[in-house]
Amino acid sequence: MDAKTAILARARDAIARSQQGRPVLEVPRNYIRTGEHAPGSEPVVADMVEKLEDYSAQVSLAPEEAEVAEAIATFLDEAQARSVVVPDGLPEAYKKAAGRGGRTVHEDSRETPIPTLELDQIDAVVTCARVGISMSGTICLDGEPDQGRRAISLVPDTHVVVLERESIMPTVPQAVDVLGQHPTRPTTWIAGGSATSDIELVRVNGVHGPRNLRVVIAH
């Protein structure tokens, strides 16, 4: 039985039980929590890069911390960003990289948040991430100090995000297990630059978040 048939069968059974006044069966939660390869392994990273690039994101692999900073600065240069917002908990080396070339760096925190209208005038944002999902090319932020408030990752036009390779999971359940360790944190799931298409399939970028996604896979 394929997945579609199984899902429809469960739905029909639940409806029938409800109509007959019988208790609905408990939904099984035995999700697959292991991929073919280990988190952060070469095949998983390669799959993540492929999916991100398919979403029109640009990716840089940076094995060393100095290369991470260099990749951040290069992405911001290429985006012609003159102003950048960073969360207050971003590593200092990354903040310095954001400010190279005379860029103005705005630091945001929950205690001193930058107003949304001011964020709209800032060209780019640099954050870290909590976890990635290679099978879907998704990056998840959970609002910690190195990632900042949700607003700063949604308003500026370009998002440069640093993703640790060890935090790239092969499957969604594995990533959800990581996020589930702190279930009250606000999460933002990113799959490429923000885009949509109308009924004629005309693609429009920058609808509900940054148009440009730049990913630095660190270490």
Side-chain angles (χ1 to χ4, degrees):
M1 182 184 297
D2 60 24
K4 179 179 179 181
T5 302
I7 292 170
L8 291 176
R10 290 174 188 168
R12 284 191 292 268
D13 180 69
I15 293 171
R17 285 175 174 275
S18 176
Q19 292 173 341
Q20 297 165 10
R22 295 185 294 157
V24 176
L25 297 177
E26 184 178 351
V27 177
R29 303 292 183 184
N30 54 333
Y31 305 120
I32 297 174
R33 284 182 160 77
T34 57
E36 183 180 354
H37 303 284
S41 61
E42 290 295 337
V44 169
V45 172
D47 191 32
M48 185 76 182
V49 172
E50 180 182 355
K51 297 299 189 336
L52 286 169
E53 291 179 342
D54 191 50
Y55 291 142
S56 301
Q58 293 183 18
V59 184
S60 177
L61 300 179
E64 304 294 337
E65 184 175 356
E67 294 176 294
V68 176
E70 189 63 34
I72 292 171
T74 298
F75 277 145
L76 293 173
D77 287 340
E78 293 173 349
Q80 298 182 340
R82 304 311 306 161
S83 57
V84 186
V85 58
V86 299
D88 61 337
L90 192 72
E92 287 300 321
Y94 302 170
K95 291 180 183 179
K96 290 180 180 178
R100 289 186 192 176
R103 277 183 290 270
T104 302
V105 177
H106 304 267
E107 190 168 302
D108 183 271
S109 70
R110 290 184 178 85
E111 292 72 27
T112 56
I114 299 173
T116 304
L117 290 179
E118 292 184 23
L119 283 176
D120 193 41
Q121 303 303 313
I122 297 175
D123 298 323
V125 55
V126 178
T127 75
C128 291
R130 175 59 56 228
V131 68
I133 307 167
S134 68
M135 71 177 297
S136 60
T138 305
I139 297 172
C140 304
L141 283 61
D142 67 359
E144 282 299 276
D146 62 346
Q147 299 153 69
R149 298 184 302 125
R150 181 176 291 163
I152 69 171
S153 63
L154 294 178
V155 178
D157 203 40
T158 295
H159 186 182
V160 179
V161 57
V162 179
L163 176 65
E164 299 289 338
R165 67 176 298 149
E166 291 80 8
S167 69
I168 302 176
M169 302 294 156
T171 68
V172 175
Q174 287 171 290
V176 170
D177 284 343
V178 173
L179 297 171
Q181 295 172 12
H182 303 281
T184 60
R185 293 178 182 174
T187 59
T188 303
W189 293 51
I190 302 166
S194 167
T196 190
S197 59
D198 62 18
I199 196 171
E200 296 178 347
L201 301 182
V202 176
R203 183 181 175 91
V204 178
N205 294 328
V207 179
H208 47 71
R211 289 186 304 124
N212 308 305
L213 178 63
R214 306 292 182 255
V215 183
V216 182
I217 297 180
H219 311 296

